[in-house]
Amino acid sequence: MMKALHKKTDPDTWKGRAADSVQYWHQAVKCLDNLQIKDAHGVKKIAILGYAADEGVRRNQGRIGAKFGPASIRKMMGSMAFHLPENVKILDYGDISVLEEALEPAHQLLQETTFSLLKNHHFPILLGGGHDLAFAHGSAVMDYLEQKNESFGIINLDAHFDLRPLLEGKGHSGSPFLQLFERAKASNLEFHYFCLGIQSPANPKELFEIAKKTGTWWMDMEDFTLSNWGQIQNNLDAFLGKVNKVMLSIDLDGFSSAYAPGVSAPSPMGFSPELALKVLDYLAKSKKLISVDVVELNPTFDQDNATARLAARCVEYLARRLYSTE
């Protein structure tokens, strides 16, 4: 019996103003019927893939509702002005979701699909969904770069380490980076993980100890500020100098709840959009960014789609910066 579901994105999800030429994102996006991923030499491709699942959040005792996140982000993106070059194609590969609480088959399909996207020269933008998405995402990047004999790093904008142990042997939204550490260790690969925006009240002492044991780099929320950009830049330079490629994970609960109320674990003490965009710009210019996920949007608790709009703007800004720096 199938334990993971793939569904094409309804083209009506992408809406916006009418225009005679491509002026808005809804005009640029092509919704594909299936996960049969093909290469097209000489064509730059951004792949949008949704993870419409919150089983990992439920396992982690969070507030469910993240499965509605990908559709909400798409709706906010559709009406945004489109500024990418004409030779960049935007392909929407639909959503992967969980059936019958079977998280692991969904992770497997997500991993296989992301690997195929990378192999066929797409830039994957994964929309969540719970942060457990990052385990499948990171596993795909790890496998892809291992074949190319290139080293791999993770940068996570987040209030939480997400290094929690498994629950009864099962992964969840709080465990993806510990799972990736164990996976790298089993393959004799180096593990490079840098978390920006850590909040002490959101991480018990045990997690700081796990962070130390796994060689995790982090910056506390008190240091991750615009006024401290010089030190942030130095730390990013040092981290990027250790790896060939890096994946980015953006957990929306890392932002202050003034900007991102629609998450499972909101906090008034998070970072600002201005600082996050500065990091995105820096990573785009590094030429080392290989993929990104945006996770933990929970539309059930959003206010006037503020969090969905923030997620959409992060995706749009990163895409624009990636292709304006070439």
Side-chain angles (χ1 to χ4, degrees):
M1 180 179 295
M2 182 172 61
K3 294 294 185 180
L5 178 69
H6 172 260
K7 184 178 181 180
K8 176 186 176 181
T9 299
D10 184 347
D12 287 341
T13 303
W14 294 93
K15 293 182 179 180
R17 291 178 181 268
D20 294 333
S21 59
V22 177
Q23 299 291 321
Y24 301 97
W25 271 75
H26 74 94
Q27 297 173 290
V29 173
K30 180 178 181 180
C31 296
L32 302 180
D33 293 325
N34 53 54
L35 295 177
Q36 294 179 6
I37 298 162
K38 299 179 181 179
D39 195 4
H41 295 290
V43 177
K44 298 180 176 67
K45 301 171 291 297
I46 290 177
I48 295 174
L49 179 64
Y51 178 60
D54 52 21
E55 170 61 16
V57 178
R58 187 195 66 79
R59 291 182 183 181
N60 197 32
Q61 302 179 39
R63 304 191 296 181
I64 61 172
K67 65 183 178 182
F68 303 113
S72 188
I73 297 173
R74 288 183 177 103
K75 288 177 181 177
M76 295 303 105
M77 289 188 69
S79 60
M80 291 191 302
F82 188 76
H83 291 283
L84 273 66
E86 292 182 0
N87 65 338
V88 178
K89 305 303 179 185
I90 312 296
L91 306 176
D92 187 338
Y93 283 92
D95 288 338
I96 292 170
S97 58
V98 170
L99 292 178
E100 301 175 357
E101 300 183 356
L103 188 65
E104 289 71 23
H107 281 184
Q108 184 65 30
L109 180 57
L110 186 62
Q111 177 184 340
E112 292 171 355
T113 304
T114 305
F115 179 87
S116 184
L117 290 171
L118 292 167
K119 185 178 179 180
N120 287 285
H121 306 103
H122 294 58
F123 183 89
I125 297 178
L126 311 182
L127 307 178
H131 209 169
D132 52 283
L133 176 159
F135 174 56
H137 177 193
S139 296
V141 175
M142 192 182 300
D143 288 347
Y144 175 69
L145 292 178
E146 186 177 11
Q147 287 189 357
K148 295 169 67 68
N149 197 30
E150 292 187 304
S151 57
F152 160 62
I154 305 163
I155 292 179
N156 181 27
L157 297 177
D158 200 344
H160 308 88
F161 284 116
D162 287 340
L163 289 167
R164 290 184 179 274
L166 303 185
L167 295 171
E168 298 180 350
K170 294 182 178 182
H172 51 85
S173 65
S175 66
F177 301 111
L178 183 60
Q179 290 175 271
L180 287 172
F181 168 77
E182 296 292 352
R183 197 174 192 278
K185 184 179 178 181
S187 299
N188 292 317
L189 299 174
E190 292 185 356
F191 180 72
H192 301 284
Y193 173 43
F194 190 9
C195 191
L196 297 162
I198 286 295
Q199 297 186 32
S200 292
N203 297 273
K205 291 180 180 179
E206 175 191 24
L207 291 181
F208 281 92
E209 292 303 316
I210 293 174
K212 293 173 184 177
K213 291 177 182 177
T214 55
T216 296
W217 294 31
W218 75 86
M219 290 192 75
D220 294 317
M221 186 60 247
E222 292 82 357
D223 297 321
F224 188 54
T225 61
L226 277 173
S227 61
N228 196 35
W229 175 250
Q231 186 58 52
I232 296 170
Q233 180 177 310
N234 289 340
N235 290 345
L236 286 171
D237 284 342
F239 185 80
L240 291 171
K242 290 181 172 292
V243 297
N244 297 117
K245 298 292 182 182
V246 66
M247 69 169 256
L248 173 64
S249 190
I250 304 172
D251 189 329
L252 294 164
D253 72 24
F255 290 93
S256 166
S257 55
Y259 308 105
V263 294
S264 178
S267 170
M269 304 302 291
F271 47 78
S272 69
E274 291 83 358
L275 179 54
L277 294 186
K278 202 168 179 66
V279 172
L280 300 191
D281 183 57
Y282 203 75
L283 293 179
K285 289 178 179 177
S286 76
K287 303 292 188 180
K288 293 192 174 187
L289 189 61
I290 194 170
S291 58
V292 62
D293 65 59
V294 183
V295 299
E296 294 290 341
L297 170 61
N298 189 328
T300 304
F301 300 99
D302 211 355
Q303 299 172 17
D304 193 27
N305 293 309
T307 317
R309 294 179 199 277
L310 174 60
R313 290 293 292 269
C314 285
V315 171
E316 188 278 336
Y317 182 82
L318 180 59
R320 183 156 40 90
R321 297 310 297 157
L322 279 169
Y323 294 100
S324 68
T325 55
E326 292 188 343

